[in-house]
Amino acid sequence: MASSALPVVLTAFLVSFFLLKDSVLLCSADPTDGFRLIPLTESNFLLQKPYNLASADRYSYSNGVRRLWVFSTDKPFKSGSSTDPRTEIRIKGYDYSSGVWQFEGYVFVPSGTSGASIMQIHRAEGEKPATDAMLRVYDGELRFYVGAVLENNVYNRWIKLNVIHDVDGNKLTIFVDGVMKHEAQGRGRSDFYFKFGVYGQTGESNRMESRWRDVKIFKK
Protein backbone atom coordinates (compact mmCIF):
# COMPACT_ATOMS: atom_id res chain seq x y z
CA MET A 1 0.00 0.00 0.00
CA ALA A 2 2.78 2.41 0.98
CA SER A 3 4.82 1.69 -2.16
CA SER A 4 1.80 2.07 -4.47
CA ALA A 5 0.94 5.41 -2.88
CA LEU A 6 4.46 6.76 -3.41
CA PRO A 7 4.06 7.66 -7.13
CA VAL A 8 0.84 9.54 -6.34
CA VAL A 9 2.48 11.50 -3.56
CA LEU A 10 5.52 12.24 -5.74
CA THR A 11 3.33 13.39 -8.62
CA ALA A 12 1.35 15.69 -6.32
CA PHE A 13 4.60 17.12 -4.95
CA LEU A 14 6.02 17.82 -8.41
CA VAL A 15 2.80 19.47 -9.58
CA SER A 16 2.76 21.70 -6.48
CA PHE A 17 6.44 22.56 -6.95
CA PHE A 18 6.05 23.67 -10.55
CA LEU A 19 2.89 25.65 -9.80
CA LEU A 20 4.71 27.45 -7.00
CA LYS A 21 7.72 28.03 -9.27
CA ASP A 22 5.51 29.56 -11.98
CA SER A 23 3.77 31.72 -9.38
CA VAL A 24 7.08 33.06 -8.08
CA LEU A 25 8.29 33.80 -11.60
CA LEU A 26 5.05 35.61 -12.37
CA CYS A 27 5.29 37.77 -9.23
CA SER A 28 8.92 38.65 -9.89
CA ALA A 29 8.47 39.53 -13.58
CA ASP A 30 9.45 43.05 -14.58
CA PRO A 31 6.25 45.14 -14.91
CA THR A 32 7.77 46.84 -17.97
CA ASP A 33 8.15 43.59 -19.94
CA GLY A 34 6.46 44.05 -23.32
CA PHE A 35 6.41 47.85 -23.01
CA ARG A 36 8.33 50.40 -25.08
CA LEU A 37 10.33 53.11 -23.30
CA ILE A 38 9.21 56.64 -24.20
CA PRO A 39 12.08 59.17 -24.52
CA LEU A 40 11.91 62.05 -22.02
CA THR A 41 13.84 65.32 -21.89
CA GLU A 42 13.68 68.14 -19.36
CA SER A 43 11.04 69.82 -21.52
CA ASN A 44 8.67 66.98 -20.59
CA PHE A 45 8.90 67.79 -16.85
CA LEU A 46 6.61 70.76 -16.13
CA LEU A 47 6.93 72.08 -12.57
CA GLN A 48 3.82 73.27 -10.70
CA LYS A 49 4.55 75.07 -7.41
CA PRO A 50 3.04 77.87 -5.28
CA TYR A 51 2.48 80.68 -7.76
CA ASN A 52 4.08 83.38 -5.63
CA LEU A 53 7.38 81.57 -5.09
CA ALA A 54 10.43 80.92 -7.21
CA SER A 55 11.05 77.35 -8.33
CA ALA A 56 14.14 77.08 -6.13
CA ASP A 57 12.01 77.81 -3.05
CA ARG A 58 10.19 74.48 -3.40
CA TYR A 59 12.19 72.37 -5.87
CA SER A 60 15.70 71.15 -6.57
CA TYR A 61 17.25 68.79 -9.10
CA SER A 62 20.73 67.52 -8.34
CA ASN A 63 22.64 64.31 -9.08
CA GLY A 64 19.59 62.81 -10.75
CA VAL A 65 17.28 63.38 -7.77
CA ARG A 66 14.26 65.68 -7.98
CA ARG A 67 13.31 67.02 -4.55
CA LEU A 68 9.86 68.59 -4.19
CA TRP A 69 8.41 70.07 -1.00
CA VAL A 70 5.52 72.28 0.05
CA PHE A 71 3.90 73.65 3.21
CA SER A 72 0.23 73.43 4.10
CA THR A 73 0.14 77.23 4.35
CA ASP A 74 1.49 77.78 0.82
CA LYS A 75 -0.48 79.33 -2.01
CA PRO A 76 -1.98 77.13 -4.76
CA PHE A 77 -0.15 76.62 -8.04
CA LYS A 78 -2.03 79.43 -9.76
CA SER A 79 -3.81 82.56 -8.61
CA GLY A 80 -7.52 82.06 -8.03
CA SER A 81 -7.28 78.28 -7.69
CA SER A 82 -9.13 76.68 -4.79
CA THR A 83 -6.86 73.62 -4.77
CA ASP A 84 -4.50 72.73 -1.93
CA PRO A 85 -0.81 73.58 -2.01
CA ARG A 86 1.38 71.46 -4.25
CA THR A 87 4.81 71.10 -5.72
CA GLU A 88 4.39 68.61 -8.52
CA ILE A 89 5.78 67.75 -11.91
CA ARG A 90 3.32 67.17 -14.72
CA ILE A 91 4.56 64.94 -17.52
CA LYS A 92 4.07 67.13 -20.57
CA GLY A 93 3.88 66.08 -24.20
CA TYR A 94 2.60 62.57 -23.57
CA ASP A 95 -1.06 63.00 -22.71
CA TYR A 96 -2.95 59.88 -23.76
CA SER A 97 -6.52 58.71 -24.36
CA SER A 98 -6.05 55.09 -25.45
CA GLY A 99 -3.65 52.19 -25.18
CA VAL A 100 -1.66 50.91 -22.20
CA TRP A 101 0.70 53.36 -20.48
CA GLN A 102 3.03 52.97 -17.53
CA PHE A 103 4.71 55.30 -15.06
CA GLU A 104 7.88 54.16 -13.30
CA GLY A 105 9.95 55.93 -10.69
CA TYR A 106 11.87 55.56 -7.47
CA VAL A 107 10.48 57.65 -4.62
CA PHE A 108 11.78 58.61 -1.17
CA VAL A 109 9.37 60.11 1.38
CA PRO A 110 10.95 61.72 4.47
CA SER A 111 9.35 60.96 7.83
CA GLY A 112 6.71 63.48 8.88
CA THR A 113 5.11 63.80 5.44
CA SER A 114 1.46 62.79 5.73
CA GLY A 115 -1.84 63.56 4.02
CA ALA A 116 -0.06 64.08 0.72
CA SER A 117 -0.52 62.71 -2.77
CA ILE A 118 2.83 61.74 -4.28
CA MET A 119 1.66 60.44 -7.67
CA GLN A 120 -1.45 60.92 -9.81
CA ILE A 121 -3.05 59.88 -13.06
CA HIS A 122 -4.95 63.03 -13.92
CA ARG A 123 -7.94 63.35 -16.19
CA ALA A 124 -8.68 66.21 -18.61
CA GLU A 125 -8.78 69.65 -17.02
CA GLY A 126 -12.11 70.51 -15.44
CA GLU A 127 -13.39 66.93 -15.17
CA LYS A 128 -14.82 65.67 -11.89
CA PRO A 129 -13.50 63.51 -10.41
CA ALA A 130 -10.15 64.84 -11.53
CA THR A 131 -8.11 61.64 -11.26
CA ASP A 132 -8.19 57.92 -11.99
CA ALA A 133 -5.37 57.14 -9.56
CA MET A 134 -3.81 58.91 -6.61
CA LEU A 135 -1.10 57.43 -4.41
CA ARG A 136 -1.07 59.07 -0.99
CA VAL A 137 1.07 58.81 2.12
CA TYR A 138 -0.62 58.72 5.52
CA ASP A 139 1.54 58.19 8.62
CA GLY A 140 4.09 56.10 6.75
CA GLU A 141 1.57 54.05 4.76
CA LEU A 142 1.31 54.33 1.00
CA ARG A 143 -2.35 54.10 0.02
CA PHE A 144 -4.53 54.11 -3.08
CA TYR A 145 -6.46 57.29 -2.27
CA VAL A 146 -7.55 56.64 1.37
CA GLY A 147 -8.27 52.96 0.78
CA ALA A 148 -6.02 50.01 0.03
CA VAL A 149 -2.62 50.00 1.73
CA LEU A 150 0.01 49.46 -0.95
CA GLU A 151 3.07 49.50 1.31
CA ASN A 152 3.84 49.96 4.99
CA ASN A 153 6.74 51.89 6.51
CA VAL A 154 7.65 53.89 3.41
CA TYR A 155 9.48 56.65 5.27
CA ASN A 156 13.17 57.31 4.69
CA ARG A 157 13.82 54.64 2.07
CA TRP A 158 13.70 54.38 -1.70
CA ILE A 159 10.85 52.35 -3.17
CA LYS A 160 10.14 51.61 -6.81
CA LEU A 161 6.68 52.41 -8.15
CA ASN A 162 5.14 51.14 -11.37
CA VAL A 163 1.63 52.26 -12.25
CA ILE A 164 0.02 50.73 -15.35
CA HIS A 165 -3.06 52.28 -16.94
CA ASP A 166 -4.91 50.17 -19.49
CA VAL A 167 -7.28 52.77 -20.92
CA ASP A 168 -9.13 50.44 -23.28
CA GLY A 169 -9.52 47.83 -20.53
CA ASN A 170 -10.39 50.55 -17.97
CA LYS A 171 -7.93 48.99 -15.53
CA LEU A 172 -5.15 50.20 -13.19
CA THR A 173 -2.39 48.00 -11.80
CA ILE A 174 0.09 49.16 -9.17
CA PHE A 175 3.43 47.55 -8.33
CA VAL A 176 5.73 48.36 -5.40
CA ASP A 177 9.31 47.12 -5.70
CA GLY A 178 8.26 44.84 -8.54
CA VAL A 179 5.40 43.18 -6.65
CA MET A 180 1.81 43.75 -7.73
CA LYS A 181 -0.03 45.38 -4.83
CA HIS A 182 -3.37 46.59 -6.18
CA GLU A 183 -5.73 46.48 -9.13
CA ALA A 184 -8.55 48.96 -9.62
CA GLN A 185 -11.12 49.92 -12.21
CA GLY A 186 -10.68 53.22 -14.03
CA ARG A 187 -13.30 55.91 -14.40
CA GLY A 188 -13.79 55.71 -18.13
CA ARG A 189 -12.24 57.49 -21.05
CA SER A 190 -10.61 60.89 -20.91
CA ASP A 191 -7.34 62.59 -21.80
CA PHE A 192 -4.84 61.51 -19.14
CA TYR A 193 -1.42 62.53 -17.90
CA PHE A 194 0.98 61.55 -15.11
CA LYS A 195 2.01 63.73 -12.16
CA PHE A 196 4.38 63.22 -9.23
CA GLY A 197 5.63 65.25 -6.28
CA VAL A 198 3.60 66.39 -3.27
CA TYR A 199 0.02 67.68 -3.23
CA GLY A 200 -1.78 68.36 0.04
CA GLN A 201 -4.85 66.26 0.86
CA THR A 202 -7.13 65.84 3.87
CA GLY A 203 -5.13 65.79 7.09
CA GLU A 204 -2.01 67.15 5.44
CA SER A 205 1.09 67.68 7.57
CA ASN A 206 2.62 71.13 7.84
CA ARG A 207 5.53 70.15 5.60
CA MET A 208 5.33 67.59 2.79
CA GLU A 209 8.17 66.29 0.68
CA SER A 210 9.00 63.56 -1.82
CA ARG A 211 12.16 62.86 -3.77
CA TRP A 212 12.24 61.13 -7.13
CA ARG A 213 14.80 59.58 -9.44
CA ASP A 214 14.79 57.54 -12.64
CA VAL A 215 11.29 58.57 -13.67
CA LYS A 216 10.31 56.85 -16.91
CA ILE A 217 7.23 56.47 -19.11
CA PHE A 218 6.42 53.33 -21.08
CA LYS A 219 3.79 52.45 -23.65
CA LYS A 220 2.47 49.17 -25.03
Side-chain angles (χ1 to χ4, degrees):
M1 180 71 71
S3 59
S4 63
L6 183 59
V8 176
V9 173
L10 181 60
T11 300
F13 170 78
L14 290 173
V15 169
S16 299
F17 172 79
F18 284 109
L19 285 174
L20 178 62
K21 180 174 177 285
D22 290 342
S23 176
V24 170
L25 288 173
L26 181 63
C27 291
S28 60
D30 188 335
T32 66
D33 285 349
F35 283 79
R36 174 172 59 90
L37 178 65
I38 300 295
L40 297 176
T41 67
E42 271 309 296
S43 65
N44 299 117
F45 293 83
L46 176 65
L47 180 66
Q48 297 179 341
K49 43 76 180 174
Y51 71 83
N52 62 326
L53 298 176
S55 297
D57 292 331
R58 295 292 183 268
Y59 172 75
S60 69
Y61 183 32
S62 177
N63 297 320
V65 176
R66 302 178 191 273
R67 181 170 166 251
L68 307 97
W69 67 97
V70 76
F71 292 87
S72 61
T73 54
D74 281 342
K75 300 288 187 183
F77 77 106
K78 63 181 179 181
S79 180
S81 172
S82 60
T83 59
D84 286 306
R86 75 183 74 199
T87 304
E88 290 185 301
I89 288 176
R90 179 210 198 281
I91 298 297
K92 181 182 177 183
Y94 290 109
D95 294 11
Y96 61 95
S97 58
S98 63
V100 185
W101 291 74
Q102 181 172 176
F103 172 94
E104 177 180 277
Y106 290 82
V107 61
F108 181 102
V109 181
S111 58
T113 294
S114 189
S117 167
I118 61 169
M119 187 270 168
Q120 302 184 62
I121 296 178
H122 208 285
R123 298 174 67 85
E125 299 297 335
E127 285 194 22
K128 299 293 182 184
T131 61
D132 266 35
M134 186 178 279
L135 307 189
R136 301 182 185 178
V137 174
Y138 289 101
D139 297 321
E141 293 181 335
L142 180 65
R143 290 179 172 266
F144 186 74
Y145 292 96
V146 296
V149 176
L150 309 175
E151 184 77 356
N152 292 302
N153 304 314
V154 299
Y155 287 149
N156 303 324
R157 64 185 179 98
W158 288 100
I159 62 174
K160 183 182 180 183
L161 291 179
N162 291 80
V163 181
I164 299 174
H165 187 190
D166 181 351
V167 178
D168 303 321
N170 199 33
K171 181 181 177 182
L172 300 152
T173 309
I174 301 168
F175 293 78
V176 178
D177 290 331
V179 178
M180 191 185 76
K181 292 299 184 82
H182 188 62
E183 290 181 316
Q185 188 174 14
R187 289 171 165 158
R189 292 193 176 274
S190 183
D191 292 317
F192 301 97
Y193 55 89
F194 297 115
K195 302 185 78 176
F196 64 94
V198 276
Y199 175 28
Q201 302 297 309
T202 303
E204 62 196 4
S205 53
N206 177 56
R207 189 181 190 280
M208 296 161 276
E209 179 180 337
S210 68
R211 304 169 194 172
W212 291 83
R213 61 178 174 85
D214 300 318
V215 170
K216 299 174 183 176
I217 303 299
F218 298 86
K219 183 184 179 183
K220 184 183 287 187

